Amino acid sequence: MEIVIPPRDHKPLTYQYTWDENGEVTNITRVREREDSGPPPTQRSRRGRQTVQWPFQTQSISAETEISSPTTISHNYAARRATWEPKRILRTDSISQDIIPDYVINYIRGETPETVARRKRNGGKLAERVVDIRQHRANEQSRTADFEGFLHDASSRSGRSSGDVNDESRHILSSSKEKAVNGAPKRRFAPGWRAGIELNLLLTVLIFLAGVVGLIAVLLKGGISSGESVLFSGACATASGINWGLHGVVNLFAVALIAGANYVFQVLSSPTRTEVSVAHEKKRWLDIGIPSVRNLAHIQGARTVLVVVVLISAIATQIMYNAVLSTPLTSLNSKLLIVTESFLSGSPFSNDTTNNEANLSRVDILSLQGKAARNELVNLTSTECFAQLSDTFETTYSAALLVSDLSSETTSLIQTTDTIKTLSSEERSSVKYCLAQAGPESTCSVAVNIPLLGITTALNLLTIIILATTLLLFRRSFQPLATLGDAISSFLQDPDPTTRGSCLLSKSDVREGRWGVSSSDTGASPIAGAKYFVPKDHFWFASASLPRLVSVVFIWLACVGLTISALALSIVADPQNRLSPFGIGSEYSTVLLPFPIIQQQASNKLSTSIFAALLFLSSLPHLLLAVLYLSVNSLLTTFFLSHESSLFAVGPHRPLRVSTGRPEGSQISSLYLTLPRPISWFLVILFAGMGFVLSQSIFLTPLNILDVDLPSSDSTLRNGDNRVQMALSISSTALFILLGLLLLLAIAVTILGLRRAPPASFVNGEAIGNPMTLPSGTCSAVISARCHVNPPASIGRLSTSGLGSAGLWYGSSFPPISEENLGGTAGAGGRGAGAVAGTDTEREVVESELWKKELVWGVTRQGVGMQVSHACFTAGKGGLLDVARSYA
């Protein structure tokens, strides 16, 4: 089949296309029309050429006369759909516009006159929204298009509403295999707050399953009666590695659960439009787009209960996870004997109770005397002896003979004791050297507290129930204003009468009761709320209210103060002011707790209830970290909410980011609510690291104090009762790292807080100030006041002859109202070239269904002379505010 395409503007060059019955181009020939070639094509012939199926193929026209056809690729036409799914979009920039006419290019793109007109009305965004471009393998160069079902009779489309959310999706479906439901394509994974809760629910379920598997494993391993299961027992270095790995995992789980709970907190505490309207009628404002405790008093009671429960559950889980694991140590119950030099040579002694406080038997004493005579004991200097035996827990020597220069006429044994701390100063000074007996090798363990692990798993299950309940109870009717875009969209659809006529309303005005002019205020001037814009630099710190800033600083200072105090105590306690190793408490930074319990060697376990309670108390510092995360997250959310609002005043036109899974028109939806995901990930990683370091900074250490059979040659353990002593250990190195992470957090927040909002006004040629920032925190009334499209009646229509003292309008010109600029297509100035001047009817066309379009905030009505002007959101052209004018 052959066809000749005439050139544009009747130029001499013409291209002849030849293709086979399958639609594959076999030859393209450039020919020159002769003068005697005949009359030009008739009207009918041109129409015939327009209806010929054009092969969809990306080619570059070279200077050669003939262009060979690409390799033919077979396609599965049986699987072809009734809607065109383009494999590649023709790049018109590679083909001269003088070669192929516009109508051919539009035909190749698969467009109809209706879609071309709609593209102009929607600002050139039609194809970008409704055509899903997929990347295919490089060997797929072309594909024949099938227009069956694509071109319909115009009468079949005449009844469609222009405001239909998926108006174009009914005719150009996405490339994924989706089935249309009620005219709208079914999405595999719809973004929005529901998808965010579903994602958190999935993560919580995975954590819960991991906890269930771990609980079953420790139960099968044994230890149900004692309430503790030992995962590992052996070398202390190996035990430390296992302990670090497990604590890293559980702290990552804990922070992930807190982040999920904070997400649910923000969603459920976000008010609905009805709740905002009720509050505004009472002259009260609510928070928008941030986790808000203030809103809990104004929202539905069931949501308040769910918020409180999910937060308590997440914070308790943070504490419980760090209390589940412990690292018990074995300590030797060392026996100390103060003897004379003659004792070593076999002199007689008396083990009467007056000089035998340790209640050693005569057999034990004789065994040590014999080993000393046979030189089987380790010789230590007095300094080494006191340094070694002064440890809170002894792991090396089971007994020691303190050879003293004291003399006794009746016995060579001066005294026996269990600890060197009970010796008097005279006895200490009289010691010349020591002979110590080595004990069995010390071991370390990694144990799991079964009751606490069970409680943690139950808390995870409670969180799952809350998330599932949220999804089930609030499936359809609940439409929270969880993002800034939600609030703007709602106020544009249904303007709030309480903030009418005050487009520059501030939070300080709201606190002082200076709201807008309500329709119920009889006798009040429609422009009574007119204000002048006072431009000034806006730092991000100013976006947070003073109570929020104070609370964050107070919690951070509490964490830093406690860390510095514990670090100073551990360093001062060491005679050489050394830092103890990471995750290990030295003898100077370990404090024995007054809870000794005597148990049988066979069980060797501490009372379950007391042990669990002490582990929980030792993990309470993690409560401060959890509260610090929630407060910092809320502060940063406030920063980014104000920043998102300020961008509407500087252009270019921006779509509204909404939390619903069904955005309309140009609206976009995302999983995150306000805080961008990189910032959220940074906080999760940082706080997971701080939680891990804190778990290695202050921790509970169970000491299994064992008695050694002194007469035995291999220092075996003695059958009988052994003490289990609880000790609180502090690692100064870990505390130092924790302090560094807290300072890193403060530096990061400070850097963000010192950022300036982008300027959106000019004063004496200097860019300064932004009217869309949210000083002192978010406020529903302030956002509502910015969304009144229709100005008060006393404000006249926009003056096109004079644009104010500065004439600072975004866009290079004011084109007349026409079909091409009604959509507010971005122009040279970046804020749009669609004019807002003209009649009220023309303006209504521009601003119809405004919430579905890409918007900018600026001056839309500027009064003649010094009359009051008006600023709001617009899809057309918005002007910069003039400091010499008032706005209402």
Side-chain angles (χ1 to χ4, degrees):
M1 181 176 180
E2 298 181 356
I3 186 171
V4 176
I5 304 299
R8 299 185 61 181
D9 302 327
H10 303 286
K11 290 185 178 180
L13 292 180
T14 303
Y15 284 83
Q16 178 177 349
Y17 288 76
T18 305
W19 59 84
D20 56 17
E21 59 184 2
N22 294 325
E24 299 289 342
V25 174
T26 59
N27 189 46
I28 302 177
T29 305
R30 185 174 63 183
V31 297
R32 182 181 298 274
E33 291 186 340
R34 300 178 181 177
E35 296 179 357
D36 56 350
S37 59
T42 62
Q43 179 81 10
R44 181 176 180 180
S45 64
R46 284 197 297 270
R47 288 197 301 268
R49 281 195 293 271
Q50 292 179 13
T51 59
V52 174
Q53 279 196 343
W54 192 268
F56 287 77
Q57 179 173 332
T58 302
Q59 295 188 15
S60 298
I61 308 300
S62 65
E64 299 295 335
T65 303
E66 293 186 359
I67 301 176
S68 59
S69 173
T71 304
T72 303
I73 300 174
S74 61
H75 298 279
N76 185 6
Y77 290 96
R80 208 165 47 192
R81 298 177 54 174
T83 301
W84 172 40
E85 296 180 12
K87 286 192 175 293
R88 299 181 65 181
I89 299 299
L90 179 65
R91 292 176 54 89
T92 58
D93 56 354
S94 63
I95 301 178
S96 174
Q97 297 296 318
D98 295 334
I99 297 177
I100 302 178
D102 290 340
Y103 68 88
V104 175
I105 295 178
N106 291 334
Y107 192 90
I108 293 176
R109 288 173 174 167
E111 295 191 357
T112 64
E114 181 190 14
T115 60
V116 172
R118 187 176 292 108
R119 181 195 302 280
K120 293 180 180 181
R121 290 197 301 270
N122 292 342
K125 298 297 183 180
L126 175 61
E128 185 176 343
R129 289 198 307 273
V130 299
V131 177
D132 188 2
I133 303 175
R134 295 188 301 174
Q135 297 295 333
H136 294 270
R137 296 190 300 271
N139 61 349
E140 295 182 350
Q141 298 295 331
S142 63
R143 178 178 179 181
T144 304
D146 185 6
F147 287 92
E148 180 182 355
F150 180 80
L151 298 177
H152 297 279
D153 185 78
S155 61
S156 64
R157 297 190 300 268
S158 59
R160 288 190 296 136
S161 171
S162 62
D164 194 347
V165 176
N166 297 295
D167 190 42
E168 300 304 327
S169 300
R170 299 186 182 185
H171 296 275
I172 303 180
L173 299 178
S174 63
S175 60
S176 58
K177 295 181 180 180
E178 299 167 343
K179 295 183 179 180
V181 178
N182 296 328
K186 181 180 179 181
R187 306 187 181 201
R188 295 188 201 172
F189 189 78
W193 69 265
R194 288 182 175 84
I197 293 183
E198 290 172 358
L199 185 61
N200 283 288
L201 177 60
L202 175 61
L203 182 61
T204 307
V205 169
L206 295 178
I207 296 175
F208 170 74
L209 293 178
V212 171
V213 172
L215 183 60
I216 294 175
V218 297
L219 289 176
L220 294 177
K221 194 174 181 63
I224 300 178
S225 59
S226 61
E228 187 181 49
S229 178
V230 179
L231 299 180
F232 172 82
S233 181
C236 291
T238 305
S240 295
I242 296 175
N243 177 54
W244 293 352
L246 292 177
H247 268 105
V249 171
V250 299
N251 277 281
L252 186 60
F253 285 174
V255 177
L257 291 174
I258 290 181
N262 184 74
Y263 188 95
V264 178
F265 175 27
Q266 180 170 344
V267 170
L268 294 181
S269 65
S270 297
T272 62
R273 178 56 195 276
T274 302
E275 292 165 345
V276 170
S277 299
V278 171
H280 284 189
E281 289 294 335
K282 300 177 181 178
K283 299 301 181 182
R284 297 177 181 176
W285 55 271
L286 300 179
D287 288 323
I288 300 293
I290 64 173
S292 174
V293 177
R294 173 190 177 86
N295 289 357
L296 297 181
H298 302 276
I299 64 175
Q300 184 182 1
R303 284 161 39 211
T304 302
V305 173
L306 290 176
V307 165
V308 173
V309 174
V310 75
L311 287 179
I312 293 177
S313 175
I315 295 175
T317 303
Q318 168 91 357
I319 301 173
M320 289 294 182
Y321 262 132
N322 286 277
V324 165
L325 298 172
S326 62
T327 54
L329 301 178
T330 57
S331 178
L332 301 176
N333 186 16
S334 301
K335 305 298 181 181
L336 305 179
L337 293 80
I338 303 177
V339 298
T340 63
E341 287 280 359
S342 59
F343 178 84
L344 305 179
S345 58
S347 296
F349 61 86
S350 172
N351 63 335
D352 193 10
T353 55
T354 57
N355 61 341
N356 189 11
E357 294 179 359
N359 294 322
L360 294 178
S361 66
R362 189 169 186 83
V363 176
D364 293 338
I365 299 175
L366 287 175
S367 66
L368 291 175
Q369 190 178 42
K371 292 177 181 181
R374 296 188 298 270
N375 293 326
E376 296 178 358
L377 303 179
V378 180
N379 196 327
L380 301 174
T381 64
S382 59
T383 303
E384 294 174 341
C385 182
F386 285 116
Q388 180 67 41
L389 299 177
S390 296
D391 291 351
T392 303
F393 47 92
E394 177 58 42
T395 60
T396 306
Y397 300 109
S398 60
L401 299 177
L402 308 181
V403 182
S404 173
D405 57 5
L406 297 177
S407 61
S408 176
E409 299 178 355
T410 58
T411 178
S412 59
L413 177 63
I414 305 300
Q415 190 55 267
T416 65
T417 182
D418 289 325
T419 173
I420 204 169
K421 297 179 181 180
T422 60
L423 298 181
S424 63
S425 58
E426 181 183 1
E427 291 172 335
R428 284 174 174 267
S429 59
S430 65
V431 175
K432 297 187 294 182
Y433 61 94
C434 297
L435 297 176
Q437 174 178 301
E441 184 179 357
S442 178
T443 60
C444 299
S445 304
V446 178
V448 176
N449 189 274
I450 298 177
L452 292 182
L453 180 58
I455 295 175
T456 304
T457 306
L459 289 174
N460 292 340
L461 180 60
L462 178 61
T463 304
I464 292 175
I465 294 174
I466 295 174
L467 297 182
T469 303
T470 301
L471 292 174
L472 293 176
L473 291 183
F474 308 107
R475 286 183 297 178
R476 300 183 181 275
S477 59
F478 182 51
Q479 296 180 353
L481 306 183
T483 65
L484 179 67
D486 290 335
I488 294 175
S489 176
S490 175
F491 290 129
L492 288 177
Q493 295 181 57
D494 183 16
D496 181 16
T498 62
T499 58
R500 184 175 63 92
S502 55
C503 63
L504 294 182
L505 185 70
S506 66
K507 194 172 182 178
S508 59
D509 295 332
V510 175
R511 288 172 175 169
E512 296 175 4
R514 297 194 300 267
W515 288 56
V517 181
S518 175
S519 57
S520 60
D521 297 336
T522 57
S525 172
I527 58 174
K531 292 181 60 177
Y532 288 90
F533 175 61
V534 181
K536 60 181 179 179
D537 285 333
H538 177 86
F539 292 93
W540 283 24
F541 267 130
S543 301
S545 62
L546 183 60
R548 190 179 303 277
L549 281 175
V550 171
S551 62
V552 173
V553 172
F554 176 79
I555 297 171
W556 183 84
L557 288 178
C559 295
V560 171
L562 292 177
T563 303
I564 293 177
S565 300
L567 180 61
L569 289 175
S570 62
I571 294 177
V572 171
D574 192 297
Q576 300 179 3
N577 296 330
R578 297 171 300 179
L579 295 176
S580 58
F582 182 83
I584 300 176
S586 68
E587 63 273 16
Y588 306 106
S589 60
T590 300
V591 180
L592 293 177
L593 301 179
F595 298 102
I597 296 181
I598 305 300
Q599 292 191 335
Q600 294 293 326
Q601 172 72 16
S603 63
N604 195 26
K605 300 297 179 180
L606 189 63
S607 174
T608 303
S609 58
I610 296 181
F611 190 19
L614 292 177
L615 287 173
F616 178 81
L617 292 176
S618 65
S619 300
L620 278 181
H622 289 271
L623 173 63
L624 278 177
L625 273 187
V627 176
L628 180 63
Y629 172 83
L630 295 174
S631 59
V632 171
N633 185 287
S634 177
L635 177 65
L636 296 185
T637 301
T638 305
F639 288 173
F640 281 93
L641 182 75
S642 179
H643 175 65
E644 182 178 1
S645 176
S646 66
L647 295 180
F648 283 102
V650 297
H653 288 64
R654 304 174 61 83
L656 295 179
R657 190 176 56 82
V658 296
S659 64
T660 177
R662 298 179 298 274
E664 299 180 280
S666 297
Q667 293 178 351
I668 59 175
S669 185
S670 61
L671 287 176
Y672 76 95
L673 298 176
T674 301
L675 195 63
R677 279 172 290 183
I679 304 298
S680 299
W681 295 338
F682 169 77
L683 287 181
V684 169
I685 294 174
L686 179 60
F687 275 86
M690 285 196 289
F692 166 71
V693 174
L694 179 58
S695 68
Q696 304 302 310
S697 301
I698 303 176
F699 49 91
L700 194 69
T701 304
L703 300 176
N704 296 322
I705 304 177
L706 308 177
D707 286 326
V708 176
D709 189 10
L710 299 180
S712 63
S713 59
D714 56 354
S715 298
T716 58
L717 298 179
R718 175 175 296 174
N719 293 328
D721 295 336
N722 297 291
R723 283 188 305 126
V724 178
Q725 180 72 56
M726 302 303 296
L728 185 64
S729 300
I730 299 176
S731 171
S732 51
T733 299
L735 286 173
F736 190 80
I737 297 175
L738 178 61
L739 182 61
L741 293 177
L742 288 171
L743 293 177
L744 175 63
L745 175 65
I747 292 173
V749 174
T750 302
I751 291 176
L752 288 176
L754 293 178
R755 290 184 61 182
R756 286 183 173 91
S761 63
F762 286 87
V763 178
N764 298 327
E766 179 184 0
I768 184 175
N770 191 309
M772 284 298 291
T773 57
L774 302 174
S776 301
T778 176
C779 176
S780 58
V782 172
I783 299 174
S784 168
R786 302 292 194 272
C787 301
H788 287 276
V789 177
N790 297 320
S794 60
I795 297 181
R797 58 190 301 273
L798 176 66
S799 172
T800 57
S801 58
L803 300 179
S805 59
L808 298 173
W809 286 79
Y810 291 93
S812 57
S813 62
F814 287 86
I817 293 294
S818 64
E819 182 182 359
E820 295 185 359
N821 57 40
L822 284 180
T825 306
R831 287 286 294 267
V836 296
T839 65
D840 292 337
T841 303
E842 292 170 336
R843 178 177 175 79
E844 290 177 0
V845 174
V846 176
E847 308 297 3
S848 63
E849 296 184 331
L850 194 60
W851 60 92
K852 297 182 181 180
K853 302 177 182 179
E854 295 186 357
L855 305 174
V856 72
W857 193 91
V859 178
T860 57
R861 293 264 183 159
Q862 188 158 291
V864 179
M866 296 305 296
Q867 292 181 353
V868 177
S869 303
H870 180 67
C872 67
F873 285 97
T874 177
K877 187 185 295 286
L880 295 176
L881 270 67
D882 188 351
V883 296
R885 292 182 175 274
S886 61
Y887 298 88

